[in-house]
Amino acid sequence: MNSKSRYEETFAEGDLIVIEDRRGNRYLERLEAGKVLNNHLGKINLGELIGAESGHEYASQSGKQYYVYRPTLSDYIYLMPRGAQIIYPKDIGHILMHLDLYHGATVLEAGVGSGAMSLGLLSHGAKVTGVELREDHLNLARKNVLNFFGEDILGDTYRLVRGDVGEFESEVRFDRVVLDLPEPWDVLSNVRRLLRQDGVLCIYLTNVTQIVHLNEALDLYRFHSRSYVELLERPWYFKAQVARPEHRMVAHTGFLIYARPGKEVEVGMG
C-alpha cells in the first residue's frame, strides 16, 4: 500500500482491501483484475471492486452482503501472515508513545519476528534497522512490510540484517532500541554501546522470571528510570439495551519494560 492510496476514497488496482461480512469475519486481499475470491460469502470478483468506494456495502454473486474498506495498520497486523508470535497493536501503540518516537528517529529493533513492530515504527516515520537471527523470520518480516508500504521503504528507511544483535556493529548510535528476545540480558552490553546517552530502551518479555534476570543486567549496565507495564484490552458488547463485557478479551500478551541509559556521576559534581 503506497502512502497516496491510503488517503484515496476509491480503490485502484493493486490496493490492499479488507472484506468484512455482517458477522465481523474479515479477509485481507489485494485488488487485481480477473482475481476471484471464493469463501462462505460466495464468489467475489475483486476486479469489479477497482474504482469502488471504501466503506460501501456490496453483494457477492450469491447475494450475500459484505463491506469493503482500506485496512488500518491494526487491521493489517492482525490479518497479515504470521510466523513468530507478534507484538499486538495494543502493545505497539503504548511502545510508540513511550519511546517518544519522532520522524527520522533511528531505531534498532532486534527480534523482528513477523514484522508487526517494524510496521508500527515505520508508520511513525522512524528509520529502522532490524536484526534477526532466523532467516525465515527475516524473510516474513520483509514480505509483510513491503506488502503494506511498498518496496520504496527498503534502504535508508528500513534495513534488515541477519545476525546476533549482541555482536552487531554500527558506526552511528541509535536514538531508540526495541528488543523482542527471549534472553535480552545477553545482549545488553552491546546494546548499551549502540544506544545514545539520551536514548530510550524498550524490551518486550512474556513472563516474570525473565524480568528477574533482566533487572540484574539493567543494574550491571547502568540503565535507570525503569517502568514495567502490562496492558489488558477488554472489548464490550452493545446491542439494543444490552451492554456487557465480551466473553473473550486480549489479556496478557507480554510485559513492556522501558529504561534510560544512566551514567556514573563524576567525583566533585552535585
Side-chain angles (χ1 to χ4, degrees):
M1 179 187 296
N2 61 57
S3 59
K4 180 180 179 181
S5 69
R6 293 179 70 180
Y7 303 101
E8 297 290 339
E9 290 188 2
T10 57
F11 300 122
E13 184 166 10
D15 283 354
L16 284 172
I17 62 166
V18 170
I19 294 173
E20 182 175 319
D21 66 20
R22 291 187 171 183
R23 304 175 84 177
N25 299 307
R26 298 181 300 161
Y27 307 89
L28 181 70
E29 297 291 335
R30 189 174 292 280
L31 291 183
E32 297 177 19
K35 184 178 179 180
V36 176
L37 175 66
N38 284 285
N39 57 25
H40 72 284
L41 291 168
K43 286 187 176 181
I44 298 175
N45 188 331
L46 295 177
E48 292 181 354
L49 294 174
I50 297 172
E53 294 186 359
S54 179
H56 282 218
E57 187 177 40
Y58 299 93
S60 67
Q61 292 182 14
S62 59
K64 294 184 178 179
Q65 305 297 308
Y66 62 90
Y67 296 96
V68 182
Y69 53 88
R70 294 190 186 280
T72 63
L73 182 60
S74 180
D75 291 330
Y76 181 77
I77 288 174
Y78 276 120
L79 297 173
M80 72 184 188
R82 301 186 195 177
Q85 178 64 46
I86 64 168
I87 298 179
Y88 279 82
K90 73 178 179 69
D91 295 323
I92 291 174
H94 194 277
I95 291 170
L96 296 177
M97 177 62 71
H98 286 262
L99 283 180
D100 190 30
L101 208 61
Y102 55 89
H103 187 82
T106 56
V107 181
L108 175 62
E109 180 193 0
V112 298
S114 300
M117 192 68 237
S118 294
L119 285 159
L121 294 167
L122 292 166
S123 72
H124 275 59
K127 295 182 178 181
V128 180
T129 297
V131 181
E132 172 62 57
L133 274 172
R134 292 182 50 170
E135 186 172 6
D136 57 337
H137 288 179
L138 202 71
N139 291 336
L140 182 55
R142 180 186 291 110
K143 180 180 178 180
N144 283 334
V145 168
L146 266 60
N147 193 42
F148 190 80
F149 285 113
E151 294 189 3
D152 291 345
I153 202 75
L154 287 176
D156 184 53
T157 304
Y158 190 49
R159 183 167 70 102
L160 289 170
V161 179
R162 186 182 178 191
D164 184 347
V165 71
E167 300 173 356
F168 181 71
E169 297 289 338
S170 174
E171 294 181 358
V172 298
R173 298 171 78 185
F174 291 88
D175 300 311
R176 308 288 185 260
V177 173
V178 180
L179 302 179
D180 181 9
L181 305 170
E183 298 176 339
W185 46 87
D186 287 341
V187 304
L188 275 188
S189 174
N190 198 40
V191 165
R192 181 66 180 81
R193 183 179 61 83
L194 294 170
L195 181 61
R196 283 176 44 179
Q197 183 61 38
D198 61 347
V200 182
L201 170 67
C202 174
I203 301 173
Y204 182 87
L205 290 175
T206 56
N207 64 67
V208 172
T209 304
Q210 291 172 301
I211 297 177
V212 174
H213 292 290
L214 174 65
N215 277 337
E216 293 176 356
L218 291 173
D219 287 338
L220 179 62
Y221 298 111
R222 300 190 304 278
F223 281 94
H224 306 298
S225 189
R226 303 176 203 169
S227 62
Y228 308 81
V229 180
E230 176 192 33
L231 301 177
L232 309 178
E233 182 177 271
R234 185 173 73 172
W236 276 67
Y237 174 85
F238 288 93
K239 188 173 182 179
Q241 302 301 312
V242 178
R244 59 167 173 77
E246 291 281 6
H247 298 305
R248 300 181 64 184
M249 64 180 290
V250 183
H252 175 78
T253 49
F255 295 103
L256 310 179
I257 300 98
Y258 302 98
R260 305 293 299 272
K263 193 173 184 179
E264 292 183 354
V265 177
E266 296 180 12
V267 175
M269 295 185 64

